[in-house]
Amino acid sequence: MSEQDPNESPLGFFTRFWLAYIVFFKILFDGFYAKRINNLHPPKALPDAVVEADTQAELENKLGKDERRIHELEAELKALKSEASVAGDARADGALWLLGLLQKEGRFVDFLQQDIASFDDAEVGGAARVIHDGCKQSLEKHLDLEAIRTEEEGAKVTLEEGYDAKAVKLTGNVSGKAPYSGTLRHKGWKATRAELPALLPEHDPKVLAQAEVEL
């Protein structure tokens, strides 16, 4: 039976504990020593396949989220375009409908489309009177109008800071900031009531006046 080599005998528990204590703090506070230990026992790197798989999964997940967000934005944009188209059609239909009313009551479109170059002033004045009466009646049926400024045209007025720039337009030599002083050239108009007839399905708003055929 051979005698065991003392160098091959394991260290006792307390010896190992003390050694671990010393090595722990030496690695913690001695960078060169820590590097030598690291060279003796380099940490195992993750297999490339695992890293690539994780990266691929993250990319696919991110691409999936981006693609879903793109689809959501496309749907929102489509809905906004549809709403804008409907609103634009409604505005156009309202304007055409009002023009049709002016034609119906005052033959306004007929007058505008008429070549009046050969008419004398008396004939134009007579036609204008008929059109004025008819169009005025039509407007009064569906709109209430009110002057924006109550002063007489030609009067001197002052626009204080904070005036309604949507209701009053500045002309002439405009510079600086309010208050502005100037001459009222036009009172302006605003509608306080607008009641247009409902557009029936059988009516085409683009038809301002039907052609008439007598049988």
Side-chain angles (χ1 to χ4, degrees):
M1 183 175 179
S2 61
E3 188 176 349
Q4 186 176 12
D5 186 352
N7 294 329
E8 296 296 331
S9 300
L11 295 175
F13 172 77
F14 291 105
T15 301
R16 298 199 307 274
F17 179 81
W18 177 249
L19 181 60
Y21 178 80
I22 295 298
V23 170
F24 172 78
F25 284 101
K26 194 169 181 59
I27 290 175
L28 187 62
F29 296 106
D30 188 340
F32 293 103
Y33 180 78
K35 184 175 182 179
R36 289 197 296 275
I37 296 299
N38 181 69
N39 292 336
L40 290 174
H41 304 283
K44 293 183 179 180
L46 290 173
D48 292 342
V50 174
V51 174
E52 291 177 359
D54 290 345
T55 304
Q56 182 71 18
E58 291 176 359
L59 286 174
E60 290 178 352
N61 185 38
K62 186 176 186 306
L63 289 174
K65 290 181 179 178
D66 291 344
E67 187 175 3
R68 287 193 294 274
R69 184 54 182 157
I70 289 174
H71 289 321
E72 291 174 358
L73 291 175
E74 288 178 343
E76 292 175 5
L77 180 61
K78 186 177 180 180
L80 289 175
K81 286 182 176 179
S82 177
E83 292 176 4
S85 177
V86 171
D89 291 344
R91 287 195 295 271
D93 290 351
L96 292 172
W97 190 244
L98 179 59
L99 189 57
L101 291 174
L102 296 178
Q103 164 64 21
K104 181 179 179 181
E105 302 290 343
R107 304 187 74 83
F108 182 65
V109 177
D110 288 345
F111 177 72
L112 295 180
Q113 294 298 101
Q114 182 73 40
D115 182 7
I116 62 173
S118 60
F119 294 178
D120 58 33
D121 291 346
E123 291 175 320
V124 174
R129 186 181 301 279
V130 175
I131 294 167
H132 176 273
D133 292 342
C135 290
K136 181 177 175 62
Q137 292 177 12
S138 181
L139 285 180
E140 289 176 347
K141 285 181 181 176
H142 305 287
L143 298 172
D144 284 343
L145 301 178
E146 183 178 279
I148 293 175
R149 300 291 304 196
T150 58
E151 300 91 340
E152 294 294 327
E153 293 180 352
K156 297 294 183 183
V157 297
T158 299
L159 301 175
E160 301 293 345
E161 185 177 359
Y163 75 96
D164 187 355
K166 294 179 181 177
V168 179
K169 180 176 69 175
L170 300 179
T171 61
N173 185 21
V174 181
S175 62
K177 299 181 179 178
Y180 297 108
S181 295
T183 303
L184 182 64
R185 297 302 183 193
H186 192 275
K187 293 182 178 180
W189 295 104
K190 64 179 179 182
T192 58
R193 178 185 64 89
E195 295 179 359
L196 294 178
L199 184 63
L200 300 177
E202 59 270 26
H203 289 166
D204 183 353
K206 296 183 178 63
V207 178
L208 304 180
Q210 289 178 300
E212 298 178 11
V213 178
E214 184 177 359
L215 303 180

